[in-house]
């Protein structure tokens, strides 16, 4: 399983919180690329409810990661 920003962004508007099956259904209905479906299908399903993309891809960058904060430098 691999995620890229482009692939993960296809799930930003998913109906969170969601189960694996709900995410797969959303990806199919929204016309997500095949790679998104494959990644979702590879998730080990223990009946978990996912609150956000970070639950699926812990390294997903937040919006804060993209903004330069002048005060930090």
């Amino acid at each position: 399983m691999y995620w890229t920003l482009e692939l993960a962004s296809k799930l930003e508007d998913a109906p969170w919180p969601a189960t694996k099956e709900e995410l797969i259904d959303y990806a199919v209905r929204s016309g997500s690329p095949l790679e998104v479906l494959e990644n979702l299908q590879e998730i080990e399903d223990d009946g978990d409810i996912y609150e956000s993309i970070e639950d699926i891809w812990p390294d997903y960058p937040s919006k804060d990661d993209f903004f330069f904060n002048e005060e930090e430098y």
Side-chain angles (χ1 to χ4, degrees):
M1 174 170 58
Y2 70 96
W3 288 100
T4 65
L5 284 176
E6 181 180 356
L7 293 177
S9 70
K10 303 295 183 186
L11 297 176
E12 284 183 348
D13 294 329
W16 303 103
T19 63
K20 173 184 170 178
E21 294 305 318
E22 289 171 334
L23 291 172
I24 290 171
D25 182 57
Y26 172 80
V28 169
R29 287 185 290 110
S30 64
S32 295
L34 182 60
E35 292 90 348
V36 173
L37 294 171
E38 290 171 349
N39 285 346
L40 291 171
Q41 290 169 344
E42 288 183 24
I43 295 172
E44 291 186 25
D45 190 15
D46 296 328
D48 295 335
I49 302 289
Y50 302 99
E51 297 293 327
S52 67
I53 188 66
E54 288 87 1
D55 288 348
I56 296 171
W57 184 29
D59 294 331
Y60 184 71
S62 69
K63 294 190 187 322
D64 294 337
D65 293 333
F66 292 104
F67 293 106
F68 178 75
N69 186 349
E70 292 180 11
E71 294 175 7
E72 290 182 10
Y73 297 96

